[in-house]
Amino acid sequence: MKKVLMGNEAVAYSLFINGVNVAVGYPGTPSTEVIETLKNFKDDDFYVEWSTNEKVALEIAAGASLAGARAVATMKQVGLNVAADPLLSLTIVGVEGGLIVFVADDPGPHSSQTEQDTRNFARFCNLPVFDPSSPKEAFELIKPAFEISEKYKLPVLFRMTTRVCHSNQSVEFEFKREKKKVKGFVKKPDWVILPALSYIKHVELKQKLQNMKKELSVYNKIEGRGKIGIITGGVSYFYVKEAIKGYDDLFSIFKITIPHPLDEEFILEFVKDKEMLIFIEELDPVLEEEVKLILFENGRIISTYGKRNGYVPFAGELDVDKVKDILNRIFSNKLHIKENTLTDILQIPKRQAQLCAGCPHRNSFLVVKYATKGQDVVFTGDIGCYTLGFAKPISTTDTCLCMGASITMAQGLKIADASKKIIAFIGDSTFFHSGITGLVNSYYNMHNITVCILDNLTTGMTGFQPHPGTGKKIYGEEGKKVNIENIVKGIGIEKILVIDPYSDFTENVDKVREFLNTEELGVIVFRRECANLKSRKSYFKINQNCLKCKVCINVTGCPAIDEDENGSIFIDSVLCKSCGLCKNFCPNNAIEKVMENE
Ligand code: SF4
Ligand code: SF4
């Protein structure tokens, strides 16, 4: 069959065809669609789930692999930080069934707190890493990735970047699953990590990397015959190809699909007749440093241009225009590489990120903001839709670091500055991911902070995946529901308040103000499902009483309320989710409810 597949879908199809038995992950852009696609496939020897975090996912995949199953754990780049602990230990313990760790990096970044480069993790962990340039290549590389993992008994990193994850390409394949017989767990002393064994295995690990170099170098390729060598990889390969169109005799391209480990002989063969080398890669100078080391060790002196001498940027995404600029700078504009491409012409206006119209988090943030008016308060934020609490006019997020850190950073702030009230905001999925341990610490060490759990009954930002608090599993079928209040009580925290952010605003403000009156550890659960999950029965409109004062816009920042060219205020009836928040701030009763059938 021939199918147009997004990069992440191509990975999912290939994983399934190549007999993956266990697929687990935690949602995070740009990685989410791998599990979202895999869940559409069914087989009696295939299991898929959303796990509570990436460490949990990788440990499940590792368990399945030790029993001989083919497994994949999916995550975004920052998720790999969470899973780093089991990953590094797995390099020593080893695997049995093929184990792929799929990691999506986010140069730009488009939706991440960091721009980190997973190829560095491969160097740090001593693991091979596949770095496909296109959906089709991603599809083709899953099979060898499993085979390398099984042959060398090591997990394999499969790293893609946003543009490869989310671009589409036609892929031709036979949709036939290669069934792998899972032999079951066989007891072996190897599976128990012990210091003495670790030393021996570390030596073995280095040897394995040496051994696999040749085998892996078949996935790298050389194009062209020019004396100027461009070394590139990932999606940058296509930018380079496009940028040097018409100059084929001048350049040759070395496309590196396996950035680690690199085969020295292959590199030396490529550079043999080159007069200069240019390194074009996104994020860190991984290829540049690895290749330069090989050149140095082999006494090869050649001019090089890359990140280390400032020709290629360290941060942000590359594109064809940027690559042309780099080449024009290197050749002092003598090559006259053409500059007009689509990206010059299409300038998309920048928009401020904001909570959706009717988002219950907007109500929750404003309730807390009004309840603490005039007080010296620090609001610590977390990762998810509610990170957008930083945006004006809501402005109730003063810090945001990583998953779960709102609760723990709040404790640090309280220790350092006891005079301030510290209020942490965290979402439901993030609470299950890594908020619980922070809350336990807060109780145990008696840090008097307030934790607001904004429970929208889904994982909103990545596309409404279920989590333990929803009680639904990946296919929407029943699982065991984990109640957040019971966890909080189970820790020992007695001060708990549950609020519906859509209910009466003034009453909610009073309840929260009273709750915050005493200085002790407390948890407020704001519970209302994400506005995008609910069909509405009514919406709001502005009537003739409107004074055009714009208080409704200026206080809520709701994207459904706007001003037309005549200065009249209107509510977009399509966007309005009927939360009624704006009505609370109108001084002249100018916002009224309209029933859907009126
Ligand atoms: S997706 Fe849901 S939770 Fe996220 S901002 Fe929109 S309404 Fe709020
Ligand atoms: S707050 Fe009320 S009166 Fe003021 S602009 Fe909005 S709808 Fe009109």
Side-chain angles (χ1 to χ4, degrees):
M1 75 197 290
K2 205 172 191 174
K3 223 171 155 51
V4 175
L5 294 176
M6 187 202 278
N8 284 346
E9 291 173 334
V11 168
Y13 270 86
S14 191
L15 283 164
F16 188 71
I17 288 168
N18 286 293
V20 69
N21 303 109
V22 175
V24 280
Y26 184 78
T29 312
S31 71
T32 312
E33 297 85 0
V34 175
I35 294 286
E36 286 291 346
T37 307
L38 276 167
K39 82 176 190 203
N40 299 323
F41 306 140
K42 302 236 163 54
D43 205 343
D44 52 8
D45 65 347
F46 174 58
Y47 173 81
V48 58
E49 75 167 35
W50 284 121
S51 305
T52 43
N53 69 29
E54 299 81 1
K55 173 173 147 66
V56 171
L58 183 52
E59 287 161 357
I60 290 171
S65 162
L66 291 200
R70 280 192 165 179
V72 64
T74 75
M75 59 202 72
K76 66 184 294 180
Q77 88 283 19
V78 281
L80 186 58
N81 305 343
V82 181
D85 193 11
L87 182 64
L88 277 127
S89 296
L90 264 179
T91 63
I92 299 299
V93 168
V95 302
E96 188 59 38
L99 173 52
I100 293 177
V101 184
F102 174 87
V103 188
D105 283 1
D106 186 17
H110 294 272
S111 53
S112 309
Q113 56 273 50
T114 69
E115 276 198 306
Q116 68 197 55
D117 192 325
T118 294
R119 295 175 303 167
N120 277 322
F121 250 107
R123 295 202 283 186
F124 174 47
C125 301
N126 295 298
L127 286 179
V129 57
F130 287 70
D131 185 17
S133 296
S134 65
K136 186 168 176 290
E137 195 180 22
F139 183 93
E140 286 160 0
L141 289 174
I142 289 290
K143 187 179 171 67
F146 269 138
E147 287 167 356
I148 288 286
S149 172
E150 279 160 5
K151 179 171 177 187
Y152 291 95
K153 306 282 182 216
L154 280 178
V156 163
L157 286 164
F158 202 92
R159 174 253 194 186
M160 305 215 306
T161 52
T162 312
R163 295 285 156 189
V164 186
C165 293
H166 286 170
S167 57
N168 289 281
Q169 191 177 15
S170 172
V171 185
E172 203 163 354
F173 59 94
E174 194 187 348
F175 192 61
K176 191 167 163 233
R177 181 164 158 84
E178 179 194 339
K179 287 244 189 191
K180 284 268 160 194
K181 190 161 167 30
V182 179
K183 61 182 183 200
F185 182 70
V186 180
K187 293 188 183 192
K188 267 208 252 175
D190 286 43
W191 302 147
V192 182
I193 197 161
L194 291 170
L197 188 65
S198 291
Y199 169 75
I200 298 164
K201 293 274 203 124
H202 192 185
V203 176
E204 279 177 16
L205 179 60
K206 290 286 184 194
Q207 193 53 51
K208 280 182 187 178
L209 277 183
Q210 283 298 328
N211 297 350
M212 68 175 75
K213 279 180 183 173
K214 279 247 142 350
E215 205 169 330
L216 286 171
S217 70
V218 299
Y219 301 108
N220 302 325
K221 68 176 180 197
I222 292 170
E223 288 172 9
R225 20 172 220 288
K227 294 254 184 272
I228 302 166
I230 301 184
I231 297 188
T232 185
V235 73
S236 306
Y237 160 73
F238 285 107
Y239 301 150
V240 168
K241 270 187 81 117
E242 186 65 27
I244 62 167
K245 249 186 197 161
Y247 298 89
D248 305 346
D249 288 344
L250 273 181
F251 297 101
S252 44
I253 304 174
F254 187 4
K255 175 192 179 302
I256 297 187
T257 308
I258 313 288
H260 187 262
L262 271 187
D263 180 20
E264 291 87 351
E265 279 178 37
F266 210 84
I267 304 282
L268 293 170
E269 182 58 32
F270 175 72
V271 299
K272 216 163 57 186
D273 61 341
K274 298 293 170 293
E275 288 162 0
M276 90 166 48
L277 286 180
I278 302 169
F279 296 92
I280 306 281
E281 58 190 315
E282 283 178 333
L283 301 177
D284 294 339
V286 173
L287 301 177
E288 185 176 345
E289 287 174 4
E290 292 276 316
V291 171
K292 278 182 177 172
L293 198 61
I294 293 169
L295 299 180
F296 175 79
E297 282 169 347
N298 289 277
R300 180 79 167 86
I301 295 172
I302 182 168
S303 341
T304 59
Y305 297 86
K307 290 177 193 277
R308 297 199 60 99
N309 48 12
Y311 284 90
V312 181
F314 271 89
E317 275 192 303
L318 292 177
D319 58 32
V320 180
D321 293 342
K322 286 185 188 157
V323 174
K324 285 181 175 180
D325 282 348
I326 292 163
L327 296 176
N328 279 328
R329 273 211 305 135
I330 293 171
F331 299 104
S332 311
N333 290 318
K334 287 192 192 105
L335 281 182
H336 306 298
I337 289 178
K338 290 172 233 65
E339 275 144 25
N340 56 324
T341 61
L342 262 187
T343 44
D344 282 335
I345 303 157
L346 289 175
Q347 285 304 337
I348 296 161
K350 289 205 175 0
R351 284 185 310 143
Q352 192 197 327
Q354 56 185 335
L355 294 163
C356 305
C359 176
H361 300 336
R362 179 180 284 105
N363 304 38
S364 310
F365 279 124
L366 286 179
V367 162
V368 177
K369 187 171 171 174
Y370 274 72
T372 55
K373 229 178 190 161
Q375 298 179 42
D376 199 1
V377 189
V378 180
F379 301 107
T380 57
D382 221 297
I383 308 292
C385 288
Y386 44 90
T387 307
L388 299 168
F390 83 92
K392 282 183 184 148
I394 298 175
S395 311
T396 39
T397 303
D398 299 313
T399 67
C400 185
L401 181 70
C402 61
M403 298 284 276
S406 61
I407 300 180
T408 33
M409 284 183 77
Q411 295 167 54
L413 281 160
K414 191 73 187 169
I415 294 166
D417 190 353
S419 65
K420 283 204 171 63
K421 200 175 267 309
I422 316 284
I423 300 181
F425 290 101
I426 190 165
D428 41 351
S429 190
T430 314
F431 178 71
F432 288 110
H433 179 284
S434 42
I436 296 172
T437 42
L439 195 58
V440 169
N441 189 68
S442 195
Y443 178 73
Y444 166 59
N445 285 304
M446 302 195 296
H447 299 306
N448 291 333
I449 57 166
T450 301
V451 176
C452 298
I453 303 174
L454 306 186
D455 183 2
N456 63 358
L457 300 164
T458 189
T459 315
M461 193 165 243
T462 46
F464 319 117
Q465 289 77 22
H467 60 66
T470 63
K472 299 276 182 234
K473 292 169 66 181
I474 192 163
Y475 297 111
E477 79 279 33
E478 293 300 316
K480 292 276 190 194
K481 189 176 166 111
V482 181
N483 179 278
I484 292 176
E485 294 88 290
N486 285 350
I487 292 179
V488 176
K489 283 183 206 148
I491 292 170
I493 299 166
E494 286 164 6
K495 194 180 168 196
I496 307 175
L497 177 65
V498 181
I499 281 186
D500 175 1
Y502 269 21
S503 65
D504 189 278
F505 184 81
T506 317
E507 263 176 38
N508 282 347
V509 170
D510 289 342
K511 279 188 205 165
V512 171
R513 193 180 289 121
E514 198 190 321
F515 187 87
L516 294 173
N517 250 341
T518 54
E519 270 282 300
E520 65 185 295
L521 173 63
V523 173
I524 308 174
V525 179
F526 287 95
R527 180 167 294 130
R528 171 59 73 156
E529 70 192 326
C530 165
N532 292 308
L533 291 182
K534 206 173 180 312
S535 58
R536 63 172 198 189
K537 295 192 178 59
S538 59
Y539 57 91
F540 282 79
K541 71 168 190 187
I542 308 280
N543 65 27
Q544 66 291 345
N545 295 342
C546 181
L547 306 167
K548 301 184 183 178
C549 65
K550 294 198 227 168
V551 169
C552 50
I553 297 175
N554 294 339
V555 173
T556 67
C558 176
I561 320 175
D562 209 346
E563 180 187 6
D564 68 16
E565 58 278 10
N566 304 319
S568 296
I569 310 302
F570 68 96
I571 294 178
D572 185 326
S573 62
V574 177
L575 287 182
C576 178
K577 293 288 195 318
S578 198
C579 70
L581 178 69
C582 52
K583 201 171 159 27
N584 293 291
F585 304 101
C586 178
N588 210 33
N589 217 8
I591 301 178
E592 63 180 70
K593 191 184 252 184
V594 183
M595 294 313 288
E596 198 67 79
N597 49 8
E598 279 173 19

